[in-house]
Amino acid sequence: MKMQARAYFDEAKWLDQPQYIPTVEEYMSVAVVSSGYVMLVPISFLGMGHIATEDAFKWSLGNPNKIVRASATIARLMDDIVSHKFEQERGGHVASAVECFMKQYGVTEQQAKEELWKKVDDAWKDINEECLRPRPVPEPLLARILNLARVMDVLYKDKDRYTHPDLELKQLVASVLIEPIPS
């Protein structure tokens, strides 16, 4: 929670300077935390019984923790890419990864999005790598982190279904939570 609050404070300072657009690296160092995914990982371990040890919680917040960082990167970048226009039109938001990339590298919005999608792909590769090599935590805990990233893929693959839920998302949720799996 402290990390989350600090990240929100950093974003508030940026918002207070309307002309300020951070570098991509500066933005990502804050935005990966403000996405909430870094905090969601240990929260997702709650109720998992004996496999969620104190060491597992410490590991999840350790730095660097490649799989947690990759999951949070996917969350932040996918959200920024697909909700970019809506968020900026709505106002009251700091620059997204798209604006930061455009300013830092002098590229168009489309070029920035293409490069950021490549970063999403790289983060998926990091998750795969971390799931395939031995880790100091049990596989069910790694699966939680992987599943958090998968949720982002459903919500933000081609449009912002989180802010604007559609029939397709409602059908997906119903298929998981309401409709029984045939035996």
Side-chain angles (χ1 to χ4, degrees):
M1 289 297 282
K2 287 180 183 179
M3 290 169 38
Q4 189 82 23
R6 284 186 200 110
Y8 286 154
F9 183 69
D10 287 341
E11 287 185 349
K13 287 190 292 188
W14 294 341
L15 190 60
D16 198 37
Q17 302 171 15
Q19 301 305 312
Y20 182 71
I21 298 177
T23 65
V24 174
E25 295 75 22
E26 181 184 12
Y27 173 80
M28 289 303 292
S29 70
V30 172
V32 160
V33 177
S34 73
S35 73
Y37 264 54
V38 172
M39 186 175 66
L40 278 178
V41 169
I43 289 171
S44 75
F45 292 175
L46 295 175
M48 290 195 67
H50 68 283
I51 64 169
T53 63
E54 183 177 345
D55 286 341
F57 283 96
K58 287 179 182 175
W59 171 85
S60 74
L61 293 171
N63 197 6
N65 190 318
K66 196 173 190 178
I67 190 170
V68 173
R69 185 160 203 59
S71 182
T73 297
I74 289 167
R76 176 78 284 147
L77 289 179
M78 289 185 80
D79 180 357
D80 281 3
I81 294 166
V82 301
S83 64
H84 167 71
K85 279 198 185 299
F86 174 76
E87 295 292 339
Q88 295 311 310
E89 288 170 3
R90 188 166 66 169
H93 289 274
V94 297
S96 72
V98 176
E99 277 110 9
C100 295
F101 200 96
M102 288 169 60
K103 180 179 182 233
Q104 184 172 343
Y105 297 104
V107 298
T108 67
E109 179 181 339
Q110 185 59 36
Q111 290 169 320
K113 287 180 176 183
E114 288 169 8
E115 290 302 314
L116 293 171
W117 277 119
K118 289 177 187 176
K119 291 183 180 295
V120 170
D121 289 342
D122 289 343
W124 277 113
K125 291 173 188 175
D126 288 344
I127 288 176
N128 289 338
E129 178 185 329
E130 292 297 294
C131 287
L132 292 173
R133 63 169 57 158
R135 292 283 136 231
V137 295
E139 185 276 329
L141 298 179
L142 294 176
R144 291 285 173 117
I145 299 167
L146 172 61
N147 287 337
L148 286 170
R150 287 175 174 162
V151 167
M152 294 310 289
D153 200 63
V154 169
L155 292 175
Y156 294 105
K157 187 63 170 186
D158 52 0
K159 57 185 172 181
D160 184 353
R161 288 188 180 94
Y162 180 80
T163 306
H164 308 287
D166 57 9
L167 182 59
E168 183 182 2
L169 178 62
K170 291 174 185 176
Q171 290 171 337
L172 286 169
V173 171
S175 73
V176 172
L177 300 176
I178 299 171
E179 298 166 9
I181 298 172
S183 348

